[in-house]
Amino acid sequence: MAQTSKLPSKLKIESVDFGGLTWYDIERPSEAETAYLAQNFPFHPLDLDDVLSKRQRPKIDEYKDYLFMVFHFPVYNKVEKLLTPSQLSVFIGSNYVITLHAGALRPLTRLFRECELDDECRKEFLTHGPGYLLYRIVDRLVDYCQPIVNKILENMDRIEDEIFAKHRAGTVKEISVLRRDIITFRRTIWPMRAVIACLEPKLKRYIDTDLNVYFGDLIDHTDKIWDSLDECKEVIEALSATFDSMSYNNYNAGIRTLTIFATITLPLLLVASVYGMNIPLPGQNSAHPIIIVLLITLGATIFTALVLKRLKIL
């Protein structure tokens, strides 16, 4: 059983309680916080080590007195301008829920502040047991994924317009960034689907009401996000292939133009090179040698252009 003694002020542990249930929230946990948990709760040392590790896959570990869960949710990093997974570790027992995270999951921190400041909010979320509280936390975080999916879809529409309209030089970078975000999002959500699917049976002993329909809706919402990401993956690959094809065609058109120009001007260079030699050539002793040279050059150029046109190159 948990000991809900007064928390030391030096620790980064906040708590709210109602009706015998306490929610502890630890932002950016360190060894000091895990040491406190080890002294006051019956947690396995390996679970506490997993809390500090940033490479844990989503999972549920079931013990006699508690459950330990690891979730990953996508977060957009505005500084580095990329999508990254943020880890949420949860301990849940008969009269407590402990959440440990890096502080990047705004729906979680917002929900904790609501419960901290509002009596009605505490009553709503902490009345039906720790399992119900965890469901509401996960539900908010899953809902938080949908705006990110919508943003990805908007970016794809914008890139599609750029490909077929402007064809800007920076489009290839935007495609690469968007593809990277989709890959990161998919890698985050894929293992989460299995964890959320088996969440309801594990939490039954910690819920005093039937939430089977609600967990079904949560699973359905997660599957819809995955389906949207699957569609995004196919669309961005198609856009990338289209952009590469258009770039290759533009490159070939440029090379073709340069080749035609070089071929047409080749007679001019040849005549100029020959008459630039210090040897006697026809027309040099005439009254107007430059006119003769220009006529020869012009004739050779016209002949070359006619040959290219006959070959349907020009």
Side-chain angles (χ1 to χ4, degrees), residues 103-128:
L105 299 172
R106 289 182 295 175
L108 172 62
T109 56
R110 191 180 301 118
L111 178 60
F112 184 83
R113 292 292 170 243
E114 290 174 4
C115 292
E116 189 176 40
L117 300 174
D118 189 357
D119 291 338
E120 290 298 323
C121 186
R122 281 198 297 272
K123 182 178 180 181
E124 177 185 355
F125 292 107
L126 277 70
T127 298
H128 302 290

Side-chain angles (χ1 to χ4, degrees), residues 69-120:
M69 287 159 280
V70 176
F71 302 95
H72 284 176
F73 294 96
V75 173
Y76 183 74
N77 190 321
K78 293 184 178 180
V79 177
E80 300 180 4
K81 295 183 178 179
L82 55 85
L83 205 64
T84 57
S86 183
Q87 179 171 307
L88 169 65
S89 303
V90 181
F91 292 97
I92 180 171
S94 59
N95 62 346
Y96 62 86
V97 173
I98 304 175
T99 53
L100 307 98
H101 55 96
L105 299 172
R106 289 182 295 175
L108 172 62
T109 56
R110 191 180 301 118
L111 178 60
F112 184 83
R113 292 292 170 243
E114 290 174 4
C115 292
E116 189 176 40
L117 300 174
D118 189 357
D119 291 338
E120 290 298 323

Side-chain angles (χ1 to χ4, degrees), residues 226-299:
W226 174 257
D227 291 340
S228 297
L229 290 173
D230 210 29
E231 179 183 353
C232 290
K233 176 178 176 292
E234 294 180 2
V235 172
I236 197 63
E237 288 177 352
L239 290 176
S240 179
T242 301
F243 180 81
D244 292 343
S245 178
M246 294 177 65
S247 299
Y248 182 73
N249 289 336
N250 290 338
Y251 173 79
N252 285 343
I255 294 297
R256 181 173 177 270
T257 301
L258 292 175
T259 302
I260 292 173
F261 179 77
T263 304
I264 291 177
T265 57
L266 181 61
L268 284 75
L269 298 175
L270 179 60
V271 174
S273 299
V274 170
Y275 275 87
M277 299 179 182
N278 191 21
I279 56 176
L281 293 170
Q284 288 182 339
N285 297 324
S286 62
H288 302 286
I290 183 123
I291 296 177
I292 295 176
V293 173
L294 288 175
L295 290 174
I296 294 173
T297 302
L298 181 61

Side-chain angles (χ1 to χ4, degrees), residues 2 59 70 74 94 125 168 196 209 258 261 263 276 304 313-314:
K59 63 177 182 177
V70 176
S94 59
F125 292 107
R168 295 192 301 107
I196 292 177
T209 184
L258 292 175
F261 179 77
T263 304
T304 304
I313 297 176
L314 185 60

Side-chain angles (χ1 to χ4, degrees), residues 41-232:
F41 294 88
F43 299 153
H44 196 283
L46 292 179
D47 295 334
L48 296 173
D49 289 340
D50 290 345
V51 168
L52 301 178
S53 173
K54 300 184 184 302
R55 295 290 182 181
Q56 290 299 314
R57 285 180 59 84
K59 63 177 182 177
I60 300 179
D61 292 338
E62 188 172 8
Y63 297 90
K64 179 181 178 181
D65 297 326
Y66 70 95
L67 294 176
F68 174 64
M69 287 159 280
V70 176
F71 302 95
H72 284 176
F73 294 96
V75 173
Y76 183 74
N77 190 321
K78 293 184 178 180
V79 177
E80 300 180 4
K81 295 183 178 179
L82 55 85
L83 205 64
T84 57
S86 183
Q87 179 171 307
L88 169 65
S89 303
V90 181
F91 292 97
I92 180 171
S94 59
N95 62 346
Y96 62 86
V97 173
I98 304 175
T99 53
L100 307 98
H101 55 96
L105 299 172
R106 289 182 295 175
L108 172 62
T109 56
R110 191 180 301 118
L111 178 60
F112 184 83
R113 292 292 170 243
E114 290 174 4
C115 292
E116 189 176 40
L117 300 174
D118 189 357
D119 291 338
E120 290 298 323
C121 186
R122 281 198 297 272
K123 182 178 180 181
E124 177 185 355
F125 292 107
L126 277 70
T127 298
H128 302 290
Y132 178 78
L133 174 60
L134 180 60
Y135 159 74
R136 296 302 296 265
I137 293 173
V138 175
D139 183 55
R140 281 211 177 186
L141 292 172
V142 171
D143 288 342
Y144 180 66
C145 295
Q146 190 58 51
I148 301 177
V149 174
N150 294 338
K151 185 64 177 178
I152 290 176
L153 292 172
E154 290 176 6
N155 289 338
M156 284 199 303
D157 291 339
R158 177 175 51 81
I159 289 175
E160 183 178 357
D161 293 339
E162 291 178 359
I163 290 176
F164 293 102
K166 303 176 184 177
H167 198 69
R168 295 192 301 107
T171 303
V172 62
K173 181 179 180 181
E174 293 180 357
I175 291 175
S176 300
V177 170
L178 190 56
R179 174 182 281 177
R180 179 193 61 191
D181 288 343
I182 292 173
I183 291 173
T184 301
F185 206 158
R186 283 168 55 86
R187 290 178 60 186
T188 304
I189 291 296
W190 173 252
M192 282 287 296
R193 297 174 68 201
V195 173
I196 292 177
C198 64
L199 196 58
E200 193 265 342
K202 302 289 186 181
L203 290 177
K204 273 188 175 180
R205 57 176 169 151
Y206 299 111
I207 303 175
D208 63 359
T209 184
D210 184 14
L211 295 179
N212 184 53
V213 175
Y214 294 94
F215 277 102
D217 180 69
L218 185 62
I219 294 171
D220 183 62
H221 195 175
T222 307
D223 290 340
K224 287 181 179 179
I225 292 173
W226 174 257
D227 291 340
S228 297
L229 290 173
D230 210 29
E231 179 183 353
C232 290

